[in-house]
Structure formats: structure tokens, C-alpha cells
Amino acid sequence: MVQSRLLISSRNYSSWSLRGFLLCRPAGIPFTVQVAAADDPQARAELLSRSSTIRLPCLLQGEIAIWDTLAIAEHLNEAHPGAQMMPAQRTARARCRSISGEMHSGFAALRASLPLNMRARRPGFTLWSGPRADIALIQEIWQDCLDIWGGPWLFGDRPSVADAMYAPVASRFLTYDVALNPDCATYRDHLLAWPDMAEWMQEAAQEPEAIEELEVEF
């Protein structure tokens, strides 16, 4: 099997990089993680939310380069069907693709108001109407999946592409002290306890502060 490389921008600040990592791990591929240099223009633009496109993370496998997280998910699912990254049931797969795409392209108010910062803790953080609406919709998505497929993951007893897509939201909810209904709080905690997620969070805690502007962004 070809040794793969996952290029990322930051463990502490990049939700997209986390998603790429959480997609590669369940696929069972051997891969290494390489952090882009802090002065890399693309990495800097993405971390400071000044990029119109997301090109990190990027999965490199031989001559293949895949840099969009949904593209990474589809590529890994196609290349490693035994990993069962998508639900087996057709209706569940359709829902998984739908809510993963919604996370990929939506929730702009949440992204802007509650940027990922795994090291930070902001108790009593004030939520305005925009992010509150996004949080309500995310809870609706989570609750619906948990009710239909029984948990503890969104589509039953194993993690899927959708869980990888929503995992950074669990970290945001922890950072900004977001109150959730009991089922969604349990699912948030399940995501945070995911061994691959816990490993990433430990690495994020040790990551040096490489871009000065990020120190005063929040």
C-alpha cells in the first residue's frame, strides 16, 4: 500500500485539517501528517478566514492529490470499501451525504462567531441570533439521526463520514460553553472521547503559536 501524506494547516485552529485526519484514520491507510509552514500563503489565508477556497488538508498518495474534504471522503470510501466509511443502508448513505455536504458548505454564522480554537475555554460566551440558529439546526440534525439510527454515532454503531465532518463542531461547543439538549450533549461527549479525536486534541494543545494574528483573533 502506498504511504500517504496528509498536509494540514494547524491542529489547533483548522477544522478542515481535523476532518481530513478523522477521515484517513477509519480508512485504515498508513499516512503521516505534515503541517504546512506558517508563512505558506494558502495556510495563512485559510487560518485567518481570508481564503475563498479550502486546499488544506490535502491527501497525497503517489501522484494523486485530493484537497477537498468531501473529495477525500469519497476517494477513501471508494478505495477502501471494507472500511465502511459510509452507512450500508441506502437511505442512510443518502442522509449521510446530505448532512455532510450541509456541514461542508453551511453554518456560516457558526464558523464566523465560534472559530475553532481547541486550547481555549470561554465560559458564558454570548451567542447572537445567527450562530444560535445554526446551533439549533445542528442539534436537529444530530437528534434526528440519533433517533432513527439509535446512536452512539450518527448512523449507528460505527463512525461514518458524517461523524468526521461534525467532530470539529463538538470542539467548538466545548470551547464556547454551548448548552445542548441531553442527547446531543451525550453525542458531543462521544465525539470528544473518540480516540482519534482525543489524540488530535492532545497534539493541538502542544502546537506552537505560529501566526501572531491568531493570538488576538478571538
Side-chain angles (χ1 to χ4, degrees), residues 122-162:
R122 311 212 183 280
F125 187 81
T126 300
L127 295 171
W128 302 103
S129 58
R132 282 204 309 269
D134 281 352
I135 291 165
L137 179 53
I138 288 170
Q139 288 197 85
E140 182 180 325
I141 290 169
W142 287 4
Q143 188 70 60
D144 192 43
C145 287
L146 294 170
D147 288 345
I148 295 173
W149 286 284
W153 304 95
L154 291 177
F155 293 94
D157 60 0
R158 61 183 303 129
S160 69
V161 167

Side-chain angles (χ1 to χ4, degrees), residues 6 14 38 51 69 87 99 110 135 187 190 195:
L6 182 69
S14 175
S51 177
T69 49
I99 65 172
L110 177 74
I135 291 165
Y187 174 64
H190 189 68

Side-chain angles (χ1 to χ4, degrees), residues 10-87:
S10 168
R11 286 182 173 87
N12 190 56
Y13 295 108
S14 175
S15 60
W16 298 109
S17 295
L18 171 57
R19 291 184 181 101
F21 178 78
L22 293 177
L23 289 167
C24 288
R25 272 293 176 82
I29 63 171
F31 73 100
T32 58
V33 177
Q34 179 180 333
V35 181
D39 57 358
D40 180 275
Q42 179 65 28
R44 190 179 188 87
E46 289 180 8
L47 288 177
L48 297 173
S49 301
R50 296 173 187 164
S51 177
S52 60
T53 61
I54 301 294
R55 290 184 176 268
L56 293 173
C58 181
L59 179 62
L60 303 176
Q61 293 184 318
E63 297 181 352
I64 300 174
I66 314 104
W67 60 82
D68 179 272
T69 49
L70 283 183
I72 290 171
E74 291 292 349
H75 168 75
L76 291 174
N77 182 61
E78 178 182 294
H80 306 281
Q84 300 180 39
M85 297 176 65
M86 298 292 291

Side-chain angles (χ1 to χ4, degrees), residues 13 48 50 117 122 209 211-218:
Y13 295 108
L48 297 173
R50 296 173 187 164
N117 186 337
R122 311 212 183 280
E209 189 65 74
I211 298 181
E212 292 183 0
E213 291 144 287
L214 288 173
E215 295 178 351
V216 296
E217 183 181 0
F218 306 107

Side-chain angles (χ1 to χ4, degrees), residues 96-133:
C96 183
R97 285 189 168 95
S98 295
I99 65 172
S100 295
E102 191 168 9
M103 183 73 256
H104 187 269
S105 60
F107 306 113
L110 177 74
R111 297 180 196 279
S113 301
L114 282 67
L116 189 73
N117 186 337
M118 293 196 145
R119 289 194 292 259
R121 296 293 181 268
R122 311 212 183 280
F125 187 81
T126 300
L127 295 171
W128 302 103
S129 58
R132 282 204 309 269

